[in-house]
């Protein structure tokens, strides 16, 4: 057998390079046909959902309205944080009412990762109490929570649940309404029940801005035997200015955080 010459070695090297080039070209062609690049094939990089925006606990607390921003109310900061949130079930019946009842009674939905409360009272000593609860969720979950509550409200004209004060179960009427609030979407609801001669009315509004829910409630009670005219005077009200002011502050916080 003759020894391999330098010419043979060069020819062999050229042939190997040609085969390698053909192989690379074939690979690039296959990847292009599947919508990938060679770099994508080597290093797949999962992307975050488009438009995902949220706030952490510290940012959420800093987003609450301050005393100068809520001058018409007695200002009281709640101490509730995610550590105070429990995932316990609800006793609401029928089953279709559970998502709506859970959210309206707690002020937060399952999956919330940050939570804070602002309590507001009337400066004139009125009986209406107001609460503003802010919750933030992982990407896309705030929208799912709000959709679940809205669907539940549409199927649930009345609900029964055990009151925190004990006694016989509360039987309340639920009404869903359209809301024209700032933010990405919103819903409004009312809950009415009578107990021991006192008619309780609660007005709720929930506004979603990206992955943050702003939850507003106003509660008022009065004698069930009052005339409709007198009841109207005591009916709890959620002022649009309060809702707009809080949601605008959430929007500003989200822009700063993004």
């Amino acid at each position: 057998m003759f020894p391999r010459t330098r010419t043979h070695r060069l020819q062999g090297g050229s042939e190997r390079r040609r085969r390698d080039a053909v192989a690379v070209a074939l690979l690039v062609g296959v990847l292009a046909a599947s919508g990938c690049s060679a770099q994508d094939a080597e290093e797949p990089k999962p992307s975050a959902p488009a438009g995902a925006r949220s706030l952490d606990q510290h940012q959420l607390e800093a987003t609450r309205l301050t005393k100068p921003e809520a001058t018409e109310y007695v200002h009281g900061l709640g101490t509730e944080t995610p550590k105070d949130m429990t995932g316990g079930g609800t006793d609401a019946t029928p089953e279709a009412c559970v998502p709506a009842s859970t959210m309206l009674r707690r002020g937060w939905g399952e999956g919330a990762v940050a939570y804070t409360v602002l309590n507001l009272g009337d400066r004139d000593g009125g009986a209406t109490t107001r609460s503003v609860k802010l919750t933030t969720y992982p990407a896309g979950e705030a929208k799912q929570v709000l959709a679940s509550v809205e669907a539940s409200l549409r199927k649930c004209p009345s609900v029964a649940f055990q009151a925190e004060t004990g006694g016989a179960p509360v039987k309340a009427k639920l009404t869903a309404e359209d809301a024209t609030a700032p933010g990405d979407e919103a819903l409004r609801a009312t809950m009415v029940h009578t107990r021991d001669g006192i008619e309780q009315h609660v007005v709720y509004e929930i506004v979603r801005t990206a992955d943050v829910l702003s939850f507003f409630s106003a509660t008022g009670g009065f004698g069930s035997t009052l005339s409709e005219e007198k009841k109207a005077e005591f009916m709890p009200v959620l002022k649009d200015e309060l809702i707009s002011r809080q949601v605008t502050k959430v929007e500003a916080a989200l822009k700063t955080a993004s």
Side-chain angles (χ1 to χ4, degrees), residues 77-108:
L77 296 178
T79 59
E80 294 87 347
T81 65
K83 65 180 175 57
D84 300 304
M85 299 163 66
T86 59
T90 177
D91 54 8
T93 56
E95 186 69 22
C97 301
V98 170
S101 178
T102 299
M103 183 69 177
L104 299 183
R105 293 169 64 195
R106 292 176 177 173
W108 51 270

Side-chain angles (χ1 to χ4, degrees), residues 170-172 192-201 222 224:
V170 172
K171 295 181 180 180
V192 182
H193 71 271
T194 302
R195 188 168 189 175
D196 298 329
I198 301 297
E199 201 169 293
Q200 293 283 351
H201 289 252
F222 39 77
S224 59

Side-chain angles (χ1 to χ4, degrees), residues 9-227:
R9 288 195 297 273
L10 289 173
Q11 290 174 343
S14 297
E15 180 63 21
R16 282 194 300 273
R17 285 193 294 274
R18 187 185 68 80
R19 289 197 301 268
D20 291 342
V22 171
V24 169
L26 288 172
L27 175 61
V28 171
V30 171
L31 290 172
S34 63
C36 303
S37 66
Q39 184 177 0
D40 291 334
E42 293 171 2
E43 258 181 81
K45 297 179 180 179
S47 58
R53 293 182 298 148
S54 196
L55 299 173
D56 61 26
Q57 183 67 32
H58 176 73
Q59 292 167 329
L60 203 66
E61 291 175 1
T63 306
R64 295 181 298 201
L65 294 175
T66 62
K67 289 183 180 180
E69 293 169 333
T71 55
E72 68 269 44
Y73 301 105
V74 176
H75 195 274
L77 296 178
T79 59
E80 294 87 347
T81 65
K83 65 180 175 57
D84 300 304
M85 299 163 66
T86 59
T90 177
D91 54 8
T93 56
E95 186 69 22
C97 301
V98 170
S101 178
T102 299
M103 183 69 177
L104 299 183
R105 293 169 64 195
R106 292 176 177 173
W108 51 270
E110 298 301 328
V113 294
Y115 171 68
T116 188
V117 178
L118 172 64
N119 296 310
L120 298 171
D122 290 333
R123 288 199 176 279
D124 61 4
T128 298
T129 58
R130 295 174 180 84
S131 178
V132 182
K133 299 180 181 181
L134 304 177
T135 51
T136 191
Y137 299 77
E141 290 190 21
K143 185 176 181 66
Q144 295 173 11
V145 168
L146 191 60
S148 175
V149 172
E150 183 173 19
S152 178
L153 281 169
R154 301 297 178 187
K155 300 174 184 176
C156 187
S158 62
V159 61
F161 58 87
Q162 189 65 47
E164 294 180 3
T165 55
V170 172
K171 295 181 180 180
K173 294 181 180 179
L174 280 176
T175 305
E177 305 169 19
D178 293 328
T180 56
D184 296 324
E185 55 182 335
L187 67 85
R188 180 171 287 218
T190 58
M191 179 185 289
V192 182
H193 71 271
T194 302
R195 188 168 189 175
D196 298 329
I198 301 297
E199 201 169 293
Q200 293 283 351
H201 289 252
V202 191
V203 181
Y204 305 94
E205 185 150 335
I206 310 171
V207 183
R208 183 182 70 82
T209 310
D211 291 303
V212 177
L213 292 184
S214 301
F215 174 95
F216 305 87
S217 66
T219 304
F222 39 77
S224 59
T225 59
L226 290 179
S227 67

